Amino acid sequence: MMKRPLSLKTMLLYSVASAGTNMVAAFTNAALPLYLVPYGLPGWLVGLLAQERSGVGGLVQPVIGLLSDRTRTRFGRRRPYFLVGAPLTALALAFLAFDPPLVPMVAVVSVLAFLLAIANDPYLALLADLTPEAQRGRVGSFMGIFGMVGQIGVVLMAAFVWDLSQTAVILAVALGVIACFAITFFGVQEPPIVAEPPKASGPRVGVVAYVRDVLQYREVVKYSLAMTFFWLGGGAAAPFLTRFGVFEPGLDAGTSFFLVTMLAICTAGFAYPAGLLGDRIGKKRVQLIGLVFFAVAILLGSQARTIEQLLPAIFFIGIGNAIPYVLAFPLLADLMPQERAGEFTGLGSMLWSLTQPFGALLAGALADLSGGYRWGFVFAGLMMLCSFAVLLTVQAPGRQEVAA
């Protein structure tokens, strides 16, 4: 059944929840590494904890997506999960706000991203349910803009308030994630589901048969591998940007938060052009351009020794980051079977939730071994080039007629 083009109002209301997700991401990537300093953890563990994806929790994400494919309520099949994941995430953040002891702190940080995924994975699957293929790039761009607004808000607040009250910053993030998902929950109506829930194919036929069934979608598999390299690199870089600023060029914490803010502003500024170009000339083609930008800029930036050398690299990394950030899930939505959107979104999230922490762990280990943070960023750049190489092999759908 052809999907009706979305109004601008619907695209904007759908995208608001992305701001909440990215408020949490900004906290975990930019503030959490500094939050963890008093605990005296080694670099590899900081890298494992201080990023927005949950490695262990990622194993459960396909189950969340599969359940959302089969959920039937008067609120729809995706939105009910907002009512669970967003409040649980806020409660976990509120717990962290009051400096708990080491062991419970590590336990809560370890599941924080998974709690958010309970809301966020069905939210991403709703993109495929709601949006015609020819509008997905632009919806992704609005998601990117709202996401960067959420990140910028948290980072700026941290830059000015962190030294005065870490508790206030963390509680503000907790309130923000609830507010943003509430706006999308009440502002967007899910399309009616006329088909019966898909029959379960996983546990009933066995793991091997299920994996074989998934692997038959070859373009989804290749694309997932390409994005796995991307998230390996992203996981290596994201948790260490503030520490890189402090320990390499010798910046103060406030200036390091400014670097994250500049990165988010550059990403937000190029988000709409990235989505529009993706709809007009092809999402795969535009993503390839973004990966080259990202790889070259981060490799050069890894060698920066002054703030003047670092700022141009941050600018071009922001442009390169905007493109896969905006188009990653819209292109996945084009490739995956629509009747299994939640399940395949969950599988993609699981794969990337496992690889991003691994990238962070490797970057943290490289920092421990080398006594600095440069090699982690070199590794990130190489992973972007690997992502580019694999994405070249993906056969993406042809460009669709651009919806009004």
Side-chain angles (χ1 to χ4, degrees):
M1 185 176 70
M2 289 288 294
K3 297 181 177 69
R4 297 175 61 182
L6 300 184
S7 67
L8 177 62
K9 178 182 177 181
T10 301
M11 288 192 281
L12 292 174
L13 287 171
Y14 171 77
S15 301
V16 170
S18 182
T21 299
N22 281 271
M23 289 178 73
V24 181
F27 166 72
T28 55
N29 287 333
L32 192 57
L34 300 180
Y35 171 91
L36 294 173
V37 168
Y39 290 96
L41 301 176
W44 66 266
L45 185 54
V46 171
L48 197 61
L49 294 174
Q51 38 75 46
E52 74 268 24
R53 292 185 179 269
S54 169
V56 176
L59 296 172
V60 190
Q61 287 178 253
V63 178
I64 297 169
L66 191 146
L67 288 174
S68 75
D69 284 339
R70 289 157 175 73
T71 297
R72 299 293 184 270
T73 74
R74 65 189 183 93
F75 297 117
R77 55 179 177 171
R78 315 295 185 192
R79 291 188 301 156
Y81 293 86
F82 300 2
L83 302 177
V84 179
L88 287 177
T89 302
L91 285 173
L93 287 165
F95 177 78
L96 294 175
F98 297 99
D99 299 319
L102 175 63
V103 173
M105 180 278 295
V106 170
V108 171
V109 170
S110 298
V111 300
L112 178 63
F114 166 66
L115 298 177
L116 182 61
I118 295 173
N120 194 51
D121 283 0
Y123 167 68
L124 293 173
L126 183 57
L127 173 73
D129 299 344
L130 197 66
T131 310
E133 183 178 325
Q135 283 187 309
R136 285 174 185 159
R138 276 167 290 169
V139 173
S141 71
F142 288 126
M143 292 170 67
I145 291 168
F146 274 98
M148 288 301 103
V149 168
Q151 289 202 29
I152 291 167
V154 170
V155 173
L156 284 177
M157 182 169 51
F160 290 106
V161 180
W162 187 258
D163 290 336
L164 300 174
S165 177
Q166 296 182 19
T167 299
V169 174
I170 300 172
L171 290 179
V173 176
L175 292 174
V177 71
I178 290 179
C180 292
F181 271 95
I183 290 171
T184 298
F185 180 89
F186 289 109
V188 175
Q189 298 297 315
E190 294 191 36
I193 304 299
V194 295
E196 291 297 315
K199 294 180 180 180
S201 58
R204 294 184 182 178
V205 298
V207 174
V208 173
Y210 178 72
V211 171
R212 198 174 289 141
D213 172 60
V214 170
L215 291 179
Q216 71 176 309
Y217 298 95
R218 296 178 59 84
E219 304 313 314
V220 177
V221 172
K222 289 188 289 184
Y223 180 67
S224 297
L225 179 60
M227 288 295 98
T228 294
F229 284 117
F230 172 77
W231 287 115
L232 268 172
F240 295 107
L241 182 55
T242 49
R243 286 198 172 201
F244 180 91
V246 170
F247 292 105
E248 297 296 346
L251 309 176
D252 58 57
T255 305
S256 291
F257 277 125
F258 168 74
L259 293 177
V260 180
T261 305
M262 181 181 172
L263 178 61
I265 290 172
C266 293
T267 300
F270 202 72
Y272 187 75
L276 185 62
L277 286 171
D279 283 340
R280 291 190 180 278
I281 68 173
K283 302 180 186 71
K284 171 188 167 181
R285 184 180 302 173
V286 177
Q287 271 195 259
L288 288 169
I289 296 169
L291 288 168
V292 170
F293 259 96
F294 205 142
V296 173
I298 203 167
L299 287 170
L300 292 176
S302 70
Q303 304 308 305
R305 300 187 181 277
T306 66
I307 184 69
E308 291 79 14
Q309 294 172 349
L310 195 52
L311 288 178
I314 293 291
F315 175 77
F316 287 107
I317 289 170
I319 294 176
N321 182 53
I323 296 173
Y325 178 76
V326 164
L327 295 177
F329 274 97
L331 182 51
L332 176 63
D334 292 352
L335 295 168
M336 66 188 178
Q338 298 302 295
E339 72 279 4
R340 298 169 69 178
E343 177 186 355
F344 273 70
T345 299
L347 286 168
S349 294
M350 178 194 73
L351 187 61
W352 305 331
S353 292
L354 293 173
T355 53
Q356 186 170 337
F358 186 62
L361 186 150
L362 287 175
L366 285 171
D368 289 338
L369 290 171
S370 65
Y373 291 92
R374 298 188 188 280
W375 282 105
F377 287 86
V378 172
F379 171 78
L382 295 176
M383 290 302 98
M384 298 303 160
L385 293 176
C386 291
S387 179
F388 174 88
V390 177
L391 185 57
L392 280 173
T393 70
V394 175
Q395 298 297 313
R399 182 172 61 88
Q400 300 295 308
E401 185 74 20
V402 178

